[in-house]
Amino acid sequence: MSGPKALTIADGLFRGDRRPSQSPSHRILYGHVLELEAKRIIDEVLLMVMRAPRTYTAEDMVEINCHGGYLVSRNVLEVVLKCGARLAEPGEFTRRAFLNGRIDLTQAEAVLDIIRSRTGEGLRLGVEQLEGSLLRELEALRHHLVQILTQLEVAVDFSESDIQIAQRDMLITALEKILCRIGDLLQTSSSGKLIREGARLAIVGKPNVGKSSLLNALLKEDRAIVSPLPGTTQDTIEEWLDIEGLPLRVIDTAGLGTTANVIEEEGKRRTEERIYQADLVIFMLDGSIPMDERDDSIAQRLEGKKYLTVINKIDLEQRLESDGLQNSKRDLYIRISALHGQGLEELKRSILDAVLSGHSVPSEGVVVTRLRHRDALMRAKISLEQAVKTLTDGLSEEFVAVDIRDALATLGEITGQTTSEDILNRIFSEFCVGK
Ligand SMILES: Nc1nc2c(ncn2[C@@H]2O[C@H](COP(=O)(O)OP(=O)(O)OP(=O)(O)O)[C@@H](O)[C@H]2O)c(=O)[nH]1
Ligand SMILES: [Mg+2]
C-alpha cells in the first residue's frame, strides 16, 4: 500500500505487538491480518512500515508479507481493499515514484527493463540506467546547452548590433561538441535496442531435415518433439536463448513443402509469417539426401531476407553437395550435426555475427536502449544542427536561441521534465499491476 492513508488502513486490519501507525519507520512488525467483522484470523504475517519520503513511491508505504499461496494472498488483499485501499493501476507505484520526483522517466523505464531482462547484459544496462547513468548524461548535455543559451543572451544584450565573430566561433565549437556526444549516444542505440528487445531467429526447411533437433540442441533440452516422420512439428515453437548476452527468440517451424491436410496448411501459413517477422533465418538442408525442388522453393521464398544456410546431419554419409550445391559457394554453408552437437559453436558465432553486423556493442558506458530515447535524441540533434547552421550563416541570434530551447525541451522529454500525459500513460501501461 502506498499513500497518506496506508498506515491507518493497516491499523484497521492488523493485530500485533504494535499498531502500524505508532511504529517507527522501516520496521517489520509481527502479527496477524484479521477479517474486520468476524475478527477471524486470515493469516499470520510480517508487516513492514516505511514512512515517507524514504520509500519506493516517496509516500508512506506498508508491505504485508503473508504466506505465499494463491487463496491466502487473495483473502489478505480482499481485507485490505475492504479497509479502504484500492487496487493499483499498472505501473502506478513506479509512476508515483516518478511524479513525486524520486526518480526520472529513464529510471522508471529501467525498472521495467530490469523486470523483463532475459540476459545478463540486458540486466546490467537496466541496473545502470536505474542508477541514473542515462539521466546524468542527459543532465550534463542540458547543462551545457543552458550555458550556451546564457552566453548567447548576454552577447545579444551587450552588443549594439551583432555578436562578435570570435564569440560566434566559440558558440559553434561548443555546440559541435554537444552534437558529437549526441552522435555517440545515437551510435549505441541500434545495439541497445537489440540487447533490450532481442532478435528473432526462425529455423526453416523442408520436413525432417532436423529443425526441431537444432532447437533442442541450442536450448540443451528436449523442448520440441523430434521424430523420423516428416511433418512432426505442425505449429511453431518459440523459446528464448541467450547467446553472449544477446537475447534470441528461436522459432522452430513446421516443415515447408508437403501438400496435405488443413492443420498443415495453417502450420505453413504460420511458418511464412515467422519468416517475415524474423531478423535472421536459418535455412536448413539435410546433408544426407540430395537437394530437391522443395529446398529450391524455400530458398526462393527467402530472397531478400537475411539468412544462413545450414547443412545438418553431417555425421551421415553426405549426398547433398554433388547434387545441389556449387563448390564455389561452399564456404557460405555452416555444417552441423544437431544430433551430435558438431558445428554448434560455429553456428552460434555466425548467428551472433549476422544479427550484430553493423551494430557495435559497447562493453561499458551509457547505451541508449529505447526507441523513444533515440527518437528524442535525433530531434535534438536536428535542432542543434540548425542552430550551428544559423550561426555559420550569420543570421540573427534569436533564431539560434529558439533552436537551442527546442533541443532542451526535446532532451527533457526523455527524462520526463517535458513529457506529455499521453506518453506517460503509454509508458506506465506497459508495467504489470503492483510495480
Ligand atoms: N543422423 C542424424 N540425424 C538427425 C540429425 N538431426 C536430426 N536428425 C534426425 O532426423 C529426424 C527428424 O528430425 P526433426 O528434428 O524432427 O526434424 P524437423 O525438421 O523438425 O522435422 P519436421 O518437424 O517434420 O519438419 C529425427 O529422426 C532426428 O533424430 C543429425 O544431425 N544427424
Ligand atoms: Mg520439427
Side-chain angles (χ1 to χ4, degrees):
M1 281 187 281
S2 176
K5 286 197 222 152
L7 290 164
T8 355
I9 292 175
D11 278 352
L13 56 86
F14 177 77
R15 289 297 166 271
D17 38 9
R18 220 195 263 253
R19 286 166 74 81
S21 64
Q22 259 130 52
S23 163
S25 187
H26 293 76
R27 282 291 164 85
I28 297 172
L29 311 179
Y30 166 81
H32 295 88
V33 168
L34 300 183
E35 228 278 53
L36 277 184
E37 289 107 46
K39 296 273 179 248
R40 187 168 58 89
I41 291 180
I42 300 290
D43 195 15
E44 178 190 41
V45 301
L46 290 175
L47 184 142
M48 221 181 295
V49 173
M50 291 170 285
R51 294 176 189 275
R54 283 175 47 230
T55 68
Y56 188 77
T57 56
E59 299 166 348
D60 282 347
M61 282 189 80
V62 171
E63 278 185 32
I64 300 172
N65 287 268
C66 62
H67 288 105
Y70 171 73
L71 195 58
V72 74
S73 322
R74 235 191 104 108
N75 289 347
V76 170
L77 181 63
E78 243 165 51
V79 174
V80 170
L81 295 179
K82 241 194 226 164
C83 286
R86 68 161 171 81
L87 274 184
E89 283 157 24
E92 187 170 353
F93 281 75
T94 309
R95 187 175 190 148
R96 283 177 181 234
F98 165 68
L99 292 176
N100 292 326
R102 194 182 67 77
I103 55 174
D104 84 312
L105 206 48
T106 65
Q107 291 169 312
E109 288 171 318
V111 171
L112 199 62
D113 293 346
I114 288 172
I115 298 171
R116 295 212 179 140
S117 59
R118 293 185 194 86
T119 66
E121 190 65 9
L123 183 58
R124 177 179 73 81
L125 292 180
V127 170
E128 282 177 9
Q129 193 170 315
L130 181 61
E131 291 306 310
S133 55
L134 182 58
L135 173 63
R136 279 192 297 277
E137 190 75 38
L138 294 167
E139 300 271 80
L141 288 177
R142 282 170 62 92
H143 176 74
H144 290 312
L145 282 176
V146 170
Q147 275 184 331
I148 293 175
L149 206 56
T150 318
Q151 280 173 18
L152 198 67
E153 276 156 7
V154 170
V156 174
D157 281 351
F158 284 88
S159 72
E160 273 138 33
S161 54
D162 286 344
I163 55 171
Q164 307 294 311
I165 294 182
Q167 275 173 317
R168 270 179 189 272
D169 285 350
M170 211 177 66
L171 289 172
I172 291 175
T173 315
L175 282 172
E176 272 171 350
K177 237 167 107 181
I178 295 176
L179 275 168
C180 193
R181 186 59 201 136
I182 292 181
D184 286 348
L185 284 172
L186 282 170
Q187 278 265 307
T188 66
S189 68
S190 54
S191 53
K193 185 169 172 283
L194 268 180
I195 293 169
R196 196 173 71 81
E197 292 174 9
R200 299 173 68 88
L201 172 76
I203 309 172
V204 302
K206 69 185 171 196
N208 221 37
V209 293
K211 300 178 292 298
S212 302
S213 303
L214 176 61
L215 175 81
N216 291 346
L218 288 173
L219 293 175
K220 300 197 179 83
E221 64 176 271
D222 285 337
R223 172 65 182 84
I225 297 173
V226 165
S227 89
L229 299 173
T232 304
T233 310
Q234 301 232 320
D235 198 355
T236 52
I237 299 174
E238 313 199 0
E239 283 295 332
W240 284 101
L241 185 72
D242 174 351
I243 300 188
E244 289 181 30
L246 175 79
L248 204 63
R249 192 145 180 81
V250 187
I251 303 149
D252 177 23
T253 64
L256 288 169
T258 44
T259 42
N261 62 46
V262 185
I263 300 177
E264 278 189 34
E265 277 305 315
E266 177 59 16
K268 265 182 265 169
R269 196 193 59 77
R270 290 189 190 190
T271 300
E272 298 276 1
E273 200 174 284
R274 296 308 184 274
I275 293 176
Y276 177 72
Q277 295 165 340
D279 298 295
L280 178 68
V281 175
I282 286 184
F283 171 35
M284 188 177 264
L285 297 163
D286 183 340
S288 68
I289 53 172
M291 261 181 101
D292 59 34
E293 67 284 356
R294 292 178 296 176
D295 298 311
D296 294 334
S297 92
I298 296 169
Q300 272 166 21
R301 253 179 267 212
L302 292 178
E303 250 167 54
K305 199 82 205 170
K306 208 193 233 184
Y307 72 91
L308 299 172
T309 308
V310 171
I311 299 171
N312 189 30
K313 308 196 188 180
I314 54 165
D315 53 295
L316 301 176
E317 194 193 327
Q318 298 295 288
R319 299 221 179 79
L320 185 77
E321 271 158 301
S322 47
D323 294 88
L325 298 178
Q326 269 125 40
N327 283 337
S328 58
K329 280 169 102 189
R330 216 194 283 171
D331 292 351
L332 300 174
Y333 300 96
I334 300 155
R335 305 160 64 79
I336 66 163
S337 165
L339 194 63
H340 300 292
Q342 279 155 277
L344 288 186
E345 286 310 312
E346 194 203 331
L347 175 60
K348 280 193 205 169
R349 250 196 321 280
S350 307
I351 293 172
L352 206 59
D353 286 349
V355 173
L356 294 180
S357 67
H359 306 281
S360 58
V361 184
S363 59
E364 56 184 33
V366 179
V367 175
V368 175
T369 53
R370 283 186 182 254
L371 210 58
R372 190 180 80 77
H373 303 169
R374 182 194 157 84
D375 174 60
L377 284 169
M378 296 274 262
R379 282 183 288 128
K381 183 167 168 246
I382 292 170
S383 300
L384 294 179
E385 278 166 356
Q386 186 57 46
V388 171
K389 187 170 181 304
T390 311
L391 278 169
T392 319
D393 294 350
L395 297 177
S396 164
E397 287 70 41
E398 270 132 58
F399 296 130
V400 182
V402 169
D403 289 329
I404 294 180
R405 281 201 198 92
D406 278 350
L408 273 168
T410 313
L411 293 179
E413 281 176 28
I414 305 180
T415 53
Q417 277 142 311
T418 52
T419 315
S420 73
E421 194 69 11
D422 281 357
I423 292 179
L424 289 182
N425 286 340
R426 216 176 51 222
I427 290 171
F428 288 104
S429 66
E430 276 185 59
F431 281 68
C432 50
V433 172
K435 203 58 216 176

